[in-house]
Amino acid sequence: MDPIDDAALMAAAEAARGFAHAPYSRFTVGAALLAADGTVVPGCNVENASYGATICAERTAVVSAVAGGRRRFLAVAVAGPAGIALGPCGLCRQVLSEFSPDGSLRVVTRDAAGAIRATTIGQLLPAAFSATDLENPRQS
Ligand code: THU
């Protein structure tokens, strides 16, 4: 099966954005994670009255995909409000990096004019802390 293109993945992210639960910030975000098997897993931000319990759209998609048995991903698209260039927050970059240790995961965003851009998680989070950093730790 041909993987879907950036525009189609962004359209899936925009659709997922419609399910966002963001009554506090009113800043709705959707994500669409393309798994290696071609499945597109949606995510949206899910806010909480205890603000720190909020989860971003990107992490919602990752945890949903993993809970569904998928851990290999090709790309993720992120859709936020029109008129701003939105990229994954630092926490989400770290979580996406967990499942793309080589940094090749494609990250699809929109710029302030609405044009689709693409980069990689390795570009967005160089020198990420990863599983290899936990190997043979000095116990001091
Ligand atoms: N948010 C996301 O869902 N993804 C991002 O990449 C940035 C921020 C959410 C978290 C919160 O619900 C709202 O946007 C405002 O920070």
Side-chain angles (χ1 to χ4, degrees):
M1 177 165 88
D2 285 343
I4 69 173
D5 66 17
D6 290 349
L9 197 61
M10 182 58 76
E14 185 62 42
R17 186 177 161 232
F19 296 113
H21 174 69
Y24 308 107
S25 73
R26 305 272 177 202
F27 190 93
T28 57
V29 183
L33 189 58
L34 176 62
D37 67 0
T39 303
V40 174
V41 181
C44 61
N45 53 334
V46 181
E47 297 188 344
N48 192 278
S50 178
Y51 300 160
T54 291
I55 181 168
C56 292
E58 299 92 320
R59 279 177 289 142
T60 303
V62 170
V63 297
S64 177
V66 172
R70 295 179 178 86
R71 296 184 179 196
R72 293 180 51 235
F73 309 119
L74 301 175
V76 63
V78 186
I84 61 159
L86 177 67
C89 80
L91 272 176
C92 290
R93 291 178 196 205
Q94 180 68 30
V95 170
L96 290 166
S97 177
E98 175 76 14
F99 297 99
S100 181
D102 67 359
S104 66
L105 179 78
R106 187 174 178 84
V107 180
V108 180
T109 59
R110 290 189 295 219
D111 68 17
I116 289 178
R117 305 285 183 196
T119 183
T120 64
I121 193 62
Q123 290 285 321
L124 292 176
L125 188 64
F129 184 83
S130 71
T132 58
D133 294 305
L134 297 172
E135 290 167 8
N136 304 313
R138 286 177 57 205
Q139 302 292 325
S140 57

